[in-house]
Amino acid sequence: GENVEQHPSTLSVQEGDSAVIKCTYSDSASNYFPWYKQELGKRPQLIIDIRSNVGEKKDQRIAVTLNKTAKHFSLHITETQPEDSAVYFCAASTPSGTYKYIFGTGTRLKVLA
Amino acid sequence: DVKVTQSSRYLVKRTGEKVFLECVQDMDHENMFWYRQDPGLGLRLIYFSYDVKMKEKGDIPEGYSVSREKKERFSLILESASTNQTSMYLCASSLSPTVYGYTFGSGTRLTVV
């Protein structure tokens, strides 16, 4: 069935360093890939997304890259700050026409001051 | 700002009880979703609805049902609560998931004793 694998499950970085989270999806027909950030005790919030006709998208310190051939997409956070500490979820849309997502299992990012 | 409101933040119920989790959104979205969130398993789709009175099973519908009588309200029903349904339940809505992404509610942490 459809599946999204996400790695690593936990990631610790020093403040100011970069963080990279990687996801792999199984359905080659998936065409939309959002990333959500969930701070402790709060709701997941959309931070960036990418569509299958684009290879890279940036928004200030965050960027997402997509390799359709390999069915990989990655979240890159540069110059990390303590407020980046959160759980990050990747997702892939299912092309069934009903717009549901399959989520990865999440990455807990800790930015050490 | 789109608001997705879940009626209860914390809920404790007894095994065998019928449990209703309510979700209301205020932006006329067609699409609404119920996910459960468990450590290490990410977000798993229980049911979704793309129109009033329409519903589709997600990946883990067993033990659950849903109701969508009005566009703004999507209810998740645990017919006979069991301890393995102890979890965080997240509702989400979207006008167009591959354009705008999801907006999540704050979640209901359900404990079944």
Side-chain angles (χ1 to χ4, degrees):
Chain A
E2 298 145 346
N3 186 44
V4 174
E5 292 189 3
Q6 183 172 348
H7 299 282
S9 57
T10 60
L11 179 60
S12 293
V13 299
Q14 289 294 133
E15 183 177 358
D17 286 351
S18 295
V20 181
I21 302 170
K22 299 182 179 182
C23 290
T24 304
Y25 60 100
S26 60
D27 193 330
S28 57
S30 293
N31 59 9
Y32 176 73
F33 307 92
W35 285 89
Y36 287 83
K37 174 184 179 183
Q38 187 178 29
E39 296 176 60
L40 191 62
K42 296 192 175 178
R43 70 190 75 194
Q45 294 202 300
L46 178 69
I47 56 171
I48 196 166
D49 56 16
I50 192 167
R51 289 174 180 77
S52 57
N53 58 348
V54 174
E56 184 175 1
K57 183 176 178 180
K58 285 184 180 178
D59 183 3
Q60 300 183 336
R61 294 187 298 108
I62 59 173
V64 57
T65 57
L66 172 65
N67 181 329
K68 284 171 55 180
T69 303
K71 292 189 279 187
H72 288 168
F73 58 114
S74 300
L75 179 71
H76 305 254
I77 307 173
T78 58
E79 301 172 16
T80 53
Q81 300 168 4
E83 53 264 37
D84 294 328
S85 295
V87 177
Y88 292 82
F89 292 97
C90 64
S93 66
T94 57
S96 63
T98 52
Y99 303 131
K100 63 176 182 173
Y101 301 157
I102 303 295
F103 281 88
T105 51
T107 296
R108 182 173 297 281
L109 173 65
K110 295 181 185 176
V111 179
L112 308 170
Chain B
D1 242 9
V2 176
K3 284 208 171 76
V4 180
T5 303
Q6 294 184 232
S7 54
S8 303
R9 190 79 173 100
Y10 299 95
L11 214 50
V12 180
K13 295 293 181 180
R14 294 196 180 278
T15 301
E17 276 193 77
K18 190 169 186 175
V19 181
F20 293 85
L21 303 183
E22 306 287 345
C23 177
V24 177
Q25 49 94 2
D26 66 355
M27 283 300 289
D28 206 34
H29 288 174
E30 277 93 14
N31 305 284
M32 297 188 75
F33 307 83
W34 275 106
Y35 284 85
R36 64 177 280 178
Q37 182 176 12
D38 300 289
L41 298 177
L43 283 75
R44 293 179 293 164
L45 182 63
I46 305 171
Y47 267 96
F48 63 103
S49 169
Y50 51 90
D51 203 350
V52 175
K53 297 193 186 294
M54 305 301 288
K55 60 186 178 184
E56 285 202 27
K57 293 180 180 179
D59 301 315
I60 51 165
E62 297 78 19
Y64 304 94
S65 63
V66 289
S67 172
R68 186 133 182 235
E69 295 296 319
K70 294 184 177 181
K71 195 173 189 180
E72 67 269 21
R73 185 181 298 270
F74 191 35
S75 303
L76 180 69
I77 304 156
L78 285 66
E79 298 291 343
S80 177
S82 64
T83 54
N84 63 12
Q85 293 178 310
T86 291
S87 187
M88 170 66 84
Y89 290 87
L90 287 165
C91 174
S93 77
S94 181
L95 179 62
S96 178
T98 56
V99 177
Y100 303 109
Y102 289 176
T103 298
F104 281 94
S106 297
T108 295
R109 184 164 294 283
L110 173 67
T111 302
V112 182
V113 298

